[in-house]
Amino acid sequence: PMGFDWTKSIRMDVINNEGGIVCLQFHTYARSGDKSGSNVKKFLVFDVKANKVLQLNDLIAEEKKAELDVLIDEQIRKIYQIKDTEMLKQHGFFEDSVKTTQNFYIHTGGLGFYYNVYEIAPLSNGPTNLFITWADLKRKNILLNIPTIASQK
């Protein structure tokens, strides 16, 4: 007789804890049956001094989101070696442009955006982890509020 082969695990890691900013990463793995399991990473960013969970709108002004989208596009093209003349769909992405996600993290060097499998591309592309340095964000004047951690750099 065939048994149940189900698994689920959830792990939480502190990936940043400095300058009054704590960033947590939640990694969930689930598997049910014979198929390979699914991995999902979600992030929560806390401003300890303000006692609140930070949203992207707390860091980036609404009118600057389009400029941030350009930086995200540049990062995707760099990571996947996609020429400016090529469409993202030609490389397996679901759309030709990728917008910011609320699944972001703050780290010493900058701001990261994490797209799980199937959010912007199929399993064959894997998850997409984009990282934009504080220097690039400052150069483009995209940050609304500069976290303490960034102002130290």
Side-chain angles (χ1 to χ4, degrees):
M2 190 165 222
F4 292 106
D5 188 14
W6 294 358
T7 303
K8 183 171 184 177
S9 65
I10 301 173
R11 187 180 78 223
M12 188 268 309
D13 296 304
V14 177
I15 62 168
N16 186 73
N17 183 9
E18 60 182 316
I21 301 292
V22 174
C23 186
L24 304 177
Q25 172 186 278
F26 295 88
H27 179 225
T28 303
Y29 171 79
R31 183 175 145 203
S32 59
D34 294 335
K35 303 287 182 194
S36 62
S38 66
N39 287 289
V40 174
K41 287 184 183 178
K42 294 289 182 183
F43 296 88
L44 279 178
V45 180
F46 295 93
D47 182 332
V48 176
K49 293 173 186 165
N51 194 28
K52 71 179 248 180
V53 175
L54 292 178
Q55 303 297 320
L56 196 56
N57 291 343
D58 295 321
L59 302 172
I60 310 285
E62 191 64 39
E63 62 271 10
K64 296 289 187 172
K65 293 262 174 80
E67 292 175 54
L68 181 58
D69 289 342
V70 169
L71 287 177
I72 285 175
D73 184 76
E74 289 172 0
Q75 285 294 314
I76 286 176
R77 290 176 182 282
K78 180 179 174 183
I79 290 169
Y80 290 95
Q81 300 175 346
I82 301 172
K83 296 175 186 166
D84 289 340
T85 56
E86 297 176 317
M87 305 302 277
L88 295 181
K89 282 184 175 181
Q90 292 175 273
H91 294 270
F93 288 87
F94 298 140
E95 301 293 332
D96 283 323
S97 65
V98 174
K99 303 291 182 200
T100 56
T101 175
Q102 286 296 320
N103 196 25
F104 72 95
Y105 59 94
I106 290 179
H107 198 270
T108 305
L111 190 59
F113 297 91
Y114 193 88
Y115 299 86
N116 288 291
V117 172
Y118 300 118
E119 287 184 329
I120 61 172
L123 180 63
S124 58
N125 279 38
T128 302
N129 186 15
L130 307 174
F131 192 77
I132 302 172
T133 65
W134 295 125
D136 284 343
L137 291 166
K138 287 178 188 176
R139 182 174 44 83
K140 297 271 189 178
N141 196 27
I142 290 177
L143 290 175
L144 177 65
N145 293 313
I146 299 175
T148 315
I149 187 172
S151 60
Q152 297 169 354
K153 303 297 167 206

